[in-house]
Each structure stands twice: as C-alpha cells, then as structure tokens.
Amino acid sequence: MKILLIGSGGREHAIAWRLAQSKLVDEIICVPGNGGTAKEEKCRNINPADCEYTETLTGNDAIVQVAAFEQVDFAVVGPEDPLCSGIADQLWSCGIPVVGPKQAGAMLEGSKDTAKDFMQKYGVACAASKTFTDAASATAYIKEHGAPVVVKADGLAAGKGVVVAATVEQALGAVNDFMNDKKLGNAGTKLVIEDYLQGVEISILAAVSVTPKLAAQNQACILPFVPARDHKRLNDGAKGPNTGGMGAVAPLSDVTPEQMAMFKKDILEPTLKGLAAENYDYRGFIFFGLMLCKDSVKLLEYNVRLGDPETQAVLPLMDFDFAELCGAIIDKDESGALKAFEPKMQWKKGFQCAPVAVSGGYPGSYKKGFEISLKGNGNLGKNTKVFIAGAVEQNRKSANLVTSGGRVLAVSAFGATFEEAFKNAYDGMKDVDFNGMFYRKDIGLPGAAESGEL
C-alpha cells in the first residue's frame, strides 16, 4: 500500500513514523515532508515545485497531481490549511480517498464563527460568545461587558489569532490589532469575543467517520484517543509568550472518569449529532480543545486534524495498527468500519513525554541554518524518538540536518510511569544540540499546565 502524507511539521513526521510501522504499508510519499521524514523508513519526500509532471500547477492542484502520478491508495492530510481550502474534495473527486474532512466540515476550524454557531445549534458545552464584523461594535461590547474576555480572530491565523485579555485595555488592543491594523490580514476581519473560562486545558484527539450514509445507518462514529496536554507558554511554569507548543504529555493523571463522562455527554455526543445533521462528509481526525472547569468540561475549540505537538506524544502510545485505523476512517464501503475498529483501539500502559526544542529567539525572530547534532540519527534508544519539525537536509550530498524553523524538533519518550517517561525524554534531549537551542524543563510537571484559556 502506498500513502500520500501532506505536511512538513513534527506532527507529520510522527504520522509517517507510525504509518511506516504497519505491515500494510510499502511506501509513504511525504509532500513536502522535512528532514525527519527524509530519513524515515519507507518514506520519500516530494516537493511538487521540483516535479516536471506538475508543470505550472501550484497549491492543492499540484498535490493532487502528485497523488495521481504516484498512484497512491489514499492520502492523509496533516495541517489545516489544505483541508480548509478543499484538498479532500479535490482528491476524492479524483478517486483518491482521504483521511481528512471535506471543506464544509473543515470550516469548524477555518471559521471561529462557524464553529460557535455549530456548538450553540447542537448544544455543545462551550463559553458564551458574540461575533462582530466591525471594530466599533466590538469595542462597545467590550466596554460594556468588561474583562477578562477572550478575543478570537475568525479565520486561520497560525495560532496567533487568540488573545486572552485580563483587562479592557488589552481586549481593545486586540480588536485594534486584528480589525483596524489588520495584523492577521483577512483572518481578523470578523471577531468572536467569548466569556473567559477558568480551569486547566487538555486536548483530546479523535478518529471520525461520518457521512450521510453512515448517519442514516446509525454507523457514524467518533472514537477518542487518550487525553493529552500541550504546553503553549515559552518558559517554565507556564510563563512568557504564547507559542505553537513547547511540548506535550499523555495520558493525564489529573483527568477523572467523571470529567471524561461529561466530555462524552456534553461535547462528543452533540458534536457527532451535529456532524451527521449537517450532512458533512467528515472522515478524518478531530481535535477537542477542552477546559476542565470546577464543575464542568467546556469546549474551547475544534481543530479538524491532529494536534501538534500532541500527536508526538499520543501516537507512540498506540498499541494498534495506525494504517488500519486510517482505512477504517475512510470506510470506502461506508459500512461502519470505524465503529467496528473500536475493540482494536488499545493503548500501551504507560506515559509519553515530548518536550520541544526551539530556535533561539522563538517565537520572535530567529536565525536558521544551524547544523543539528543528533545522536543515533534520532533513534535515542528503545523508548525515545526524535520527531523533526523545523529542520531540513543540509544538501543532497550530506546526511546532516540544519534548522529551518522556530520549533525544530521534539524528543518523545515512553515510560511505565510519568517519572520514567520524563527522565527518558530529558535524557534524550541531552543527545541533541544546535546553536541557540532552547527548551522547557518542566513538560508534564505540576505547575506546568496553563490555567485559563490560551
């Protein structure tokens, strides 16, 4: 079986690594991939810009051409941008199945306003909110409502479109930045302003298989993975600026069965009902960003793909065939394959800790092109694996990797206990080095989790 994997981050390296472990998989075409997937077993990177057969095609059209030329059996989409621009619709129309929702369902991440309308329509537990299309109305609402509030840009903003405002002045500043100064471009032309929720954040990734036919047969399904936690602040103790994620841990000892039951009843089940009622063709993954409040669990956001860096902590815990799961999600015959797969979804008894190493200066400006010293080519022992994000091959003649992004890599380690996983991860980090390298020292420890919404 040959699989197309779209994306270039640490999440995609983890997906490629997990897929390559399947006996069902012969080759994984990574478009464009990164320095990690270039070295991974069964993987081959292809940049559509370098292919003669893509001619003058760009964007999704070029990716579809690669998929057709390589005659892949199905595609897995890592990031949200191609999903929100309809890559799944295009691939399915060419007869290529996709793990990733079609465009209509992808707008649950592509538009905060669409997501909030969906939550309210189907009774998904979430913060109260209002949507604004002009700065004057948003400003007036904030002055009347007061702070704290959460200001969210409606569109995709690469993780930069949410401001938790402790004061009215901070909230008004966010409105001015997004709507007047257009610091996020068109993503900030519409804003969602939410009530602030106090609690601790967690992430739950899940497999989804919903089509009108499956819904009609009562076979539509969402299967959640083990809960995880992303640490977004740059510095230890959840201090400093917000980032794309400084590390993740899974599963979580502080999540109770009662909270998981509330998540299922108040969030997962109404979400499944809504996906079916909207007649979405949603075959892929969904990310539930949750707030564990004092007496409730509330949904902060949907992502329509696997999270990063949560994927680097969750996928190594899978004690089942990930490629087989992808096939069940696609469910070509629409016969309820994902629901039937549930008994196979078993998890290793233990913990995974995955701190992220970033370039000096991140999330602000940083330099690129520093050579990475990486012991064992990223395989740092039986229970430790390096997942590359922002790094590429130095050149075609060299096996060395050089930094190319802010978040450079994650060292993901397993342990029978969290303490063992933590030690293995940070021991592994000692075998990695590059100029300006920085990482948090407290991923998964008490006090490292952010409270409030980020």
Side-chain angles (χ1 to χ4, degrees):
M1 183 163 59
K2 184 187 286 191
I3 300 171
L4 183 82
L5 173 59
I6 300 169
S8 62
R11 165 185 50 219
E12 286 74 41
H13 186 188
I15 292 171
W17 168 79
R18 188 83 254 188
L19 287 171
Q21 294 180 357
S22 173
K23 294 180 180 179
L24 303 173
V25 176
D26 298 306
E27 188 177 24
I28 303 156
I29 307 299
C30 303
V31 180
N34 62 31
T37 57
K39 298 175 180 295
E40 201 62 57
E41 181 184 2
K42 299 183 183 179
C43 293
R44 174 162 55 99
N45 287 357
I46 292 180
N47 187 337
D50 297 333
C51 298
E52 293 183 1
Y53 57 80
T54 58
E55 297 178 345
T56 59
L57 299 176
T58 60
N60 288 353
D61 293 336
I63 295 172
V64 172
Q65 184 73 356
V66 172
F69 183 86
E70 292 290 340
Q71 297 182 312
V72 300
D73 292 282
F74 65 85
V76 180
V77 185
E80 64 275 16
D81 285 354
L83 290 168
C84 291
S85 60
I87 186 70
D89 306 68
Q90 290 180 256
L91 286 165
W92 275 106
S93 69
C94 296
I96 300 171
V98 186
V99 180
K102 290 186 176 179
Q103 188 174 29
M107 294 316 292
L108 289 176
E109 180 171 1
S111 167
K112 298 291 192 298
D113 183 43
T114 297
K116 294 298 292 192
D117 282 347
F118 179 93
M119 295 175 204
Q120 292 162 3
K121 183 176 181 179
Y122 295 103
V124 178
C126 62
S129 69
K130 287 194 174 183
T131 299
F132 299 90
T133 56
D134 66 277
S137 298
T139 296
Y141 174 79
I142 290 169
K143 288 180 177 179
E144 180 181 354
H145 183 279
V149 292
V150 182
V151 182
K152 295 183 176 182
D154 176 63
L156 297 176
K160 299 177 181 178
V162 178
V163 172
V164 180
T167 66
V168 168
E169 290 72 22
Q170 289 176 337
L172 295 178
V175 171
N176 185 64
D177 287 347
F178 294 168
M179 298 193 104
N180 295 330
D181 293 346
K182 298 190 180 300
K183 290 187 176 181
L184 301 176
N186 291 332
T189 56
K190 183 187 290 186
L191 296 182
V192 174
I193 300 178
E194 292 184 347
D195 288 354
Y196 174 81
L197 296 176
Q198 182 65 43
V200 179
E201 287 190 61
I202 69 168
S203 309
I204 296 182
L205 316 180
V208 184
S209 193
V210 176
T211 68
K213 181 178 178 180
L214 286 168
Q217 297 172 347
N218 198 31
Q219 293 295 319
C221 184
I222 299 178
L223 296 184
F225 298 167
V226 294
R229 175 170 289 120
D230 175 20
H231 298 65
K232 291 186 180 298
R233 295 289 187 176
L234 179 67
N235 299 319
D236 289 0
K239 305 297 183 183
N242 205 18
T243 74
M246 294 298 294
V249 62
L252 303 177
S253 300
D254 60 331
V255 178
T256 67
E258 291 76 16
Q259 288 169 325
M260 289 300 294
M262 284 190 282
F263 159 68
K264 182 179 179 181
K265 176 178 178 291
D266 299 334
I267 296 170
L268 188 151
E269 290 178 353
T271 296
L272 179 59
K273 177 183 176 182
L275 295 177
E278 295 293 326
N279 291 316
Y280 286 151
D281 186 337
Y282 195 124
R283 285 176 274 185
F285 301 108
I286 197 165
F287 169 114
F288 297 96
L290 306 174
M291 184 69 80
L292 303 183
C293 302
K294 184 178 179 180
D295 298 311
S296 63
V297 178
K298 297 289 181 69
L299 180 66
L300 300 175
E301 65 175 351
Y302 294 115
N303 291 165
V304 296
R305 34 71 188 184
L306 294 176
D308 188 341
E310 291 94 340
T311 298
Q312 293 90 303
V314 172
L315 264 60
L317 291 171
M318 290 179 169
D319 201 14
F320 55 89
D321 190 314
F322 185 60
E324 187 179 352
L325 171 66
C326 289
I329 289 169
I330 291 168
D331 197 2
K332 288 183 181 179
D333 298 329
E334 297 182 71
S335 58
L338 183 59
K339 186 175 284 191
F341 188 87
E342 185 172 11
K344 297 182 180 181
M345 193 179 283
Q346 302 298 314
W347 300 89
K348 295 178 182 178
K349 304 299 182 183
F351 293 81
Q352 201 80 16
C353 182
V356 170
V358 303
S359 297
Y362 175 84
S365 60
Y366 54 86
K367 295 181 179 180
K368 305 176 184 179
F370 295 118
E371 187 171 330
I372 301 171
S373 173
L374 194 59
K375 183 179 177 181
N377 199 30
N379 295 294
L380 306 181
K382 180 181 178 182
N383 293 320
T384 308
K385 172 71 176 178
V386 173
F387 293 118
I388 298 297
V392 296
E393 292 179 295
Q394 192 169 32
N395 55 59
R396 293 182 180 180
K397 296 181 180 180
S398 173
N400 296 331
L401 298 180
V402 296
T403 63
S404 63
R407 290 193 295 164
V408 177
L409 56 85
V411 177
S412 184
F414 175 80
T417 63
F418 166 73
E419 291 75 15
E420 181 183 354
F422 182 89
K423 182 180 185 301
N424 288 342
Y426 282 98
D427 283 349
M429 194 66 86
K430 296 174 184 177
D431 293 325
V432 179
D433 187 50
F434 56 86
N435 189 18
M437 174 175 157
F438 175 82
Y439 57 93
R440 280 180 62 164
K441 313 298 192 299
D442 66 343
I443 299 301
L445 293 180
E450 288 106 4
S451 60
E453 182 183 9
L454 295 172

